[in-house]
Amino acid sequence: MIDAISFKENTLHYLDQRYLPLREDYVATKNYQEAIEAIKTLAVRGAPLIGVAAAYTIILGINSFKGTKEEFPAYFKTLVAEVEASRPTAVNLFFAAARLKKVYTDNFEADTLETLFAKMHDAAHKIHADEIANCDLMSRHGVEQIKIDLAHILKTRKLNVLTHCNTGTLACCGTGSALGVIRLAWQEGLIERVITSESRPLLQGLRLTAWELQQDGIPFVSISDSSSAFLMQRGMIDFGIVGADRIAANGDTANKIGTCAHAISAWHHNLPFYIAAPVSTIDITIPDGTHIPIEERNADELRTIFGTQVATPTTPVLNYAFDVTPGKFLRGIITDKKAVVGNYLNELKQLFAE
Amino acid sequence: MIDAISFKENTLHYLDQRYLPLREDYVATKNYQEAIEAIKTLAVRGAPLIGVAAAYTIILGINSFKGTKEEFPAYFKTLVAEVEASRPTAVNLFFAAARLKKVYTDNFEADTLETLFAKMHDAAHKIHADEIANCDLMSRHGVEQIKIDLAHILKTRKLNVLTHCNTGTLACCGTGSALGVIRLAWQEGLIERVITSESRPLLQGLRLTAWELQQDGIPFVSISDSSSAFLMQRGMIDFGIVGADRIAANGDTANKIGTCAHAISAWHHNLPFYIAAPVSTIDITIPDGTHIPIEERNADELRTIFGTQVATPTTPVLNYAFDVTPGKFLRGIITDKKAVVGNYLNELKQLFAE
């Protein structure tokens, strides 16, 4: 297993993802400023992993505190603010910071600093452990759903699965969301080959997912994003599974640009297409996908590739980072609680009632 | 208008397309070996344009002949063989060579070399003129069909059109096939904006089509290939039009990889999707798309971009250069003879009977 992030002997260990797969730089630091820099520069990335990195960064900051108990509140406030400022749009970062702030608020009065710090250490490790556990739960629910939906094929042969972008341990800490399901399905002998679409503009599929699969020895092939429809037509894909950035109450799902095109093609070829994402990704207050804001990113992400200019700097570019896949194209939404199929409007609401 | 290829005062002029849009190198040569090199190295590309380049290359070769009439047949045979060997899979190249060989065969006995050469010059110019005329005919038929099919939108506003790869003057000599239709539609005030998908792996949409549109001052925006479905969902695309590499008797169309995905998305969003291609592209002997061989190209086209390594050299890649769009997803096939809509099996056969 790739060690994308860990915290041992008061040291943060992380894999610098910027140069993958061409360079694997494992970094170790006790310096919280260096850890903040890693979040800022995208050396660590992926929403759940950023949350874990933020928690450990706060612990590094606490470890370097040398003052009195009276001096700690001001120090802690500044520290958390610094960490929160590192990636202002990453919601997992704020969730992680909020969990540590709660440990502080609940225990500061009663505890010694030593006891308080120990509780915060534990809380940071718990955030990490929860992400790993979520991956395992999603993987299990996903595999069971696949066994049901694709039983007719599994009678005679293994499955070819399409995935998009990176949803593995590099993004999620554990085995991954969609890639976690794929990993477990492969371990259980259900998978023939993974097809990973490159995921323009930033090529997370070609670079990161391919690298993870290669590390695990899972057979795969990378394709250009626009090839998936043709592979489906040729019978080379049996189902698709991807992650999610935000899921609306009706199942409409925002995910990496290209997801919607894959899902429509799958629908047309009668192939099941799944989302794998923790319940925390579901925004039950949003009625449907039209209410999800879609980030438009810098045109240079298309005009230059790894620093190489491919189009003129004045070429007009429209670079949506995400798209919205209507719930009707999805066979199921695999969460850590259960695999949700059928009427999303009822079923997703149910997850929050339980 | 861009001068992608021309022949004046016994000199071949061409635009070296390899470094577009970052460098515009116009080259002039009287040396037929240099012209062959330009075809070999993809300095000139695009099926119709390669045919024209091949014809002019043969003329350059003839111009440098210094022998007697008796010595000419052997010289001509070697020359044509050399030109034909420059891009062995480009069918237009063989069509062009065949037309010049026919002029030679029909006239060699009766004519002086001077007269024969003049007739061959004329034939080469005729090949070029025919390609230009084809573009004009396709453009006219295409625009008329669009006016009919999209009349309901044109009552209130102009159209946003999606195109893929490069089908302009850089590929076709004239105004282009699909891009020719778009150009004429724009001149007639029907077009708001062109959306050009980048066309991974070789980025002809982002590089070449974008450059052509910029030269003409036609408003456009480039997108990643997998964005088109989402733009359709948002109402930002009204129709699509692309070229073709080969069309089967039932309308199934082989074209640049990505076409099928665009067409399926268009079908889903109830948007007309057209092919623009000369009748010579229709292979009436092929019953359907499953009989069209699809070229699988070098994996490094995905693993490296403009010489920059983005994936490891061992990353497995499946790189189909073309896909097949089932005829049922096409609103029409725009040819130089007419716009074919409806039952392709009957209608396409009719084109050859006329």
Side-chain angles (χ1 to χ4, degrees):
Chain A
M1 195 73 197
I2 298 150
D3 186 16
I5 194 160
S6 60
F7 196 83
K8 283 170 290 200
E9 294 165 6
N10 288 314
T11 306
L12 174 66
H13 301 261
Y14 65 88
L15 172 57
D16 187 333
Q17 300 191 24
R18 286 173 296 176
Y19 311 106
L20 285 177
L22 303 174
R23 249 173 57 196
E24 298 171 26
D25 291 347
Y26 284 92
V27 181
T29 183
K30 296 191 179 204
N31 182 323
Y32 87 93
Q33 297 284 6
E34 276 181 27
I36 286 177
E37 214 44 36
I39 298 173
K40 275 190 185 168
T41 58
L42 309 189
V44 294
R45 55 153 283 287
L49 194 139
I50 287 174
V52 173
Y56 287 141
T57 301
I58 291 172
I59 301 304
L60 287 182
I62 287 169
N63 285 349
S64 64
F65 177 69
K66 302 282 178 249
T68 63
K69 188 170 176 183
E70 287 64 40
E71 291 165 333
F72 184 69
Y75 178 86
F76 183 66
K77 196 177 166 188
T78 309
L79 169 66
V80 170
E82 268 186 90
V83 172
E84 286 180 339
S86 60
R87 282 287 300 275
T89 54
V91 88
N92 298 60
L93 190 153
F94 296 101
F95 286 158
R99 277 173 73 170
L100 293 185
K101 280 193 277 191
K102 187 165 189 315
V103 175
Y104 161 80
T105 315
D106 290 353
N107 298 284
F108 179 73
E109 290 295 330
D111 285 346
T112 63
L113 275 192
E114 199 181 12
T115 311
L116 175 67
F117 288 5
K119 285 181 180 168
M120 291 173 85
H121 270 75
D122 290 349
H125 280 291
K126 181 72 167 55
I127 289 168
H128 193 174
D130 285 351
E131 293 295 355
I132 293 171
N134 276 346
C135 291
D136 293 340
L137 292 165
M138 282 185 277
S139 301
R140 174 48 55 203
H141 297 317
V143 166
E144 296 311 317
Q145 191 62 41
I146 288 162
K147 281 182 184 168
I148 295 167
D149 292 345
L150 295 152
H152 56 293
I153 300 177
L154 286 167
K155 274 180 203 158
T156 56
R157 62 167 175 83
K158 296 181 182 185
L159 304 168
N160 295 293
V161 53
L162 171 72
T163 190
H164 189 60
C165 198
N166 176 259
T167 59
T169 191
L170 292 171
C172 302
C173 310
T175 58
S177 54
L179 207 53
V181 176
I182 292 172
R183 277 194 166 98
L184 184 61
W186 183 73
Q187 283 163 17
E188 301 203 352
L190 311 182
I191 300 297
E192 179 69 34
R193 185 165 74 162
V194 184
I195 290 106
T196 160
S197 45
E198 61 174 351
S199 317
R200 277 283 281 152
L202 298 182
L203 305 171
Q204 293 94 336
L206 177 64
R207 295 168 46 233
L208 306 181
T209 301
W211 183 76
E212 287 202 36
L213 292 168
Q214 212 151 22
Q215 299 292 308
D216 283 9
I218 301 176
F220 76 97
V221 72
S222 282
I223 59 169
S224 63
D225 298 315
S226 72
S227 303
S228 68
F230 185 52
L231 267 69
M232 290 175 190
Q233 186 192 111
R234 292 207 149 183
M236 296 167 78
I237 291 172
D238 298 305
F239 74 102
I241 186 164
V242 302
D245 285 84
R246 204 162 355 164
I247 301 171
N250 71 340
D252 289 357
T253 297
N255 190 45
K256 182 64 55 192
I257 189 79
T259 301
C260 180
H262 289 319
I264 290 176
S265 292
W267 174 260
H268 240 288
H269 292 93
N270 246 324
L271 307 174
F273 196 89
Y274 305 93
I275 299 294
V279 171
S280 58
T281 313
I282 302 165
D283 190 342
I284 209 76
T285 66
I286 291 184
D288 63 56
T290 61
H291 296 80
I292 303 177
I294 297 297
E295 182 186 0
E296 199 182 322
R297 288 174 62 88
N298 195 309
D300 279 332
E301 288 189 351
L302 269 101
R303 293 188 296 217
T304 66
I305 298 174
F306 269 39
T308 301
Q309 191 86 30
V310 292
T312 63
T314 57
T315 304
V317 162
L318 187 56
N319 180 21
Y320 287 121
F322 306 96
D323 61 22
V324 176
T325 302
K328 69 165 177 170
F329 295 126
L330 302 173
R331 166 60 190 155
I333 297 175
I334 316 293
T335 76
D336 43 311
K337 282 199 175 176
K338 63 184 281 195
V340 178
V341 293
N343 181 330
Y344 295 121
L345 211 53
N346 292 342
E347 297 291 324
L348 293 180
K349 202 187 296 168
Q350 207 61 28
L351 291 179
F352 291 86
E354 278 159 15
Chain B
M1 195 75 195
I2 299 150
D3 186 17
I5 194 159
S6 60
F7 195 84
K8 284 170 287 198
E9 292 164 7
N10 288 314
T11 306
L12 174 65
H13 301 261
Y14 66 86
L15 172 55
D16 187 335
Q17 299 190 24
R18 287 173 295 176
Y19 311 106
L20 284 177
L22 302 175
R23 249 172 57 198
E24 298 170 27
D25 290 347
Y26 284 93
V27 181
T29 183
K30 295 190 177 206
N31 182 323
Y32 86 94
Q33 297 283 8
E34 277 180 25
I36 287 177
E37 213 46 36
I39 298 173
K40 276 189 185 168
T41 58
L42 310 187
V44 294
R45 54 154 283 286
L49 194 139
I50 287 173
V52 173
Y56 287 141
T57 300
I58 292 173
I59 301 306
L60 288 181
I62 288 169
N63 286 349
S64 64
F65 177 68
K66 302 284 179 247
T68 64
K69 188 171 177 181
E70 287 64 40
E71 292 165 332
F72 184 70
Y75 177 87
F76 184 66
K77 198 178 165 188
T78 310
L79 169 66
V80 170
E82 269 187 89
V83 173
E84 286 180 340
S86 60
R87 282 287 298 275
T89 54
V91 88
N92 298 61
L93 189 155
F94 296 99
F95 285 158
R99 278 174 73 169
L100 293 185
K101 280 192 277 192
K102 188 165 189 315
V103 176
Y104 161 80
T105 315
D106 290 353
N107 298 283
F108 180 72
E109 290 296 331
D111 286 346
T112 63
L113 275 191
E114 199 183 12
T115 311
L116 175 66
F117 288 5
K119 284 180 181 169
M120 291 173 86
H121 270 75
D122 290 348
H125 281 291
K126 182 73 169 54
I127 289 168
H128 193 174
D130 286 352
E131 293 294 357
I132 293 171
N134 276 346
C135 291
D136 293 340
L137 291 165
M138 283 185 277
S139 301
R140 173 50 55 203
H141 297 318
V143 166
E144 295 311 318
Q145 191 62 42
I146 288 162
K147 280 182 184 167
I148 295 167
D149 292 345
L150 295 153
H152 56 295
I153 300 177
L154 285 167
K155 274 180 204 159
T156 56
R157 63 167 176 82
K158 297 181 181 185
L159 304 169
N160 295 292
V161 53
L162 172 72
T163 190
H164 189 60
C165 199
N166 177 259
T167 59
T169 191
L170 292 170
C172 304
C173 310
T175 58
S177 54
L179 207 53
V181 176
I182 291 172
R183 276 195 167 96
L184 185 60
W186 182 72
Q187 283 162 18
E188 300 203 353
L190 310 182
I191 300 296
E192 179 69 33
R193 185 164 75 163
V194 184
I195 290 103
T196 160
S197 45
E198 60 173 351
S199 317
R200 277 285 281 156
L202 298 182
L203 304 172
Q204 294 92 335
L206 177 65
R207 294 168 46 233
L208 307 181
T209 302
W211 183 76
E212 287 202 36
L213 292 168
Q214 212 151 23
Q215 299 292 307
D216 283 9
I218 301 176
F220 76 97
V221 72
S222 282
I223 59 169
S224 62
D225 299 315
S226 73
S227 304
S228 68
F230 185 53
L231 267 67
M232 290 175 190
Q233 186 190 111
R234 292 207 150 184
M236 295 166 77
I237 292 171
D238 298 305
F239 74 103
I241 186 164
V242 302
D245 285 84
R246 195 138 37 138
I247 301 171
N250 71 342
D252 290 356
T253 297
N255 190 46
K256 182 62 58 194
I257 188 78
T259 301
C260 180
H262 289 318
I264 289 177
S265 291
W267 173 261
H268 239 288
H269 292 94
N270 248 322
L271 307 175
F273 197 88
Y274 305 93
I275 299 294
V279 171
S280 58
T281 313
I282 302 165
D283 190 342
I284 208 77
T285 68
I286 290 184
D288 62 57
T290 61
H291 296 79
I292 304 176
I294 297 298
E295 182 186 0
E296 199 182 321
R297 288 174 61 88
N298 195 309
D300 279 332
E301 288 189 352
L302 268 102
R303 293 188 297 218
T304 65
I305 298 174
F306 270 40
T308 300
Q309 191 86 30
V310 292
T312 63
T314 58
T315 303
V317 162
L318 186 58
N319 181 19
Y320 287 122
F322 306 97
D323 61 24
V324 176
T325 301
K328 70 167 175 169
F329 295 126
L330 302 174
R331 165 60 192 156
I333 298 175
I334 315 293
T335 76
D336 43 312
K337 281 197 175 176
K338 63 185 281 199
V340 178
V341 293
N343 182 329
Y344 295 121
L345 212 53
N346 293 341
E347 297 291 325
L348 293 179
K349 203 187 296 168
Q350 207 61 29
L351 291 178
F352 291 85
E354 278 159 15

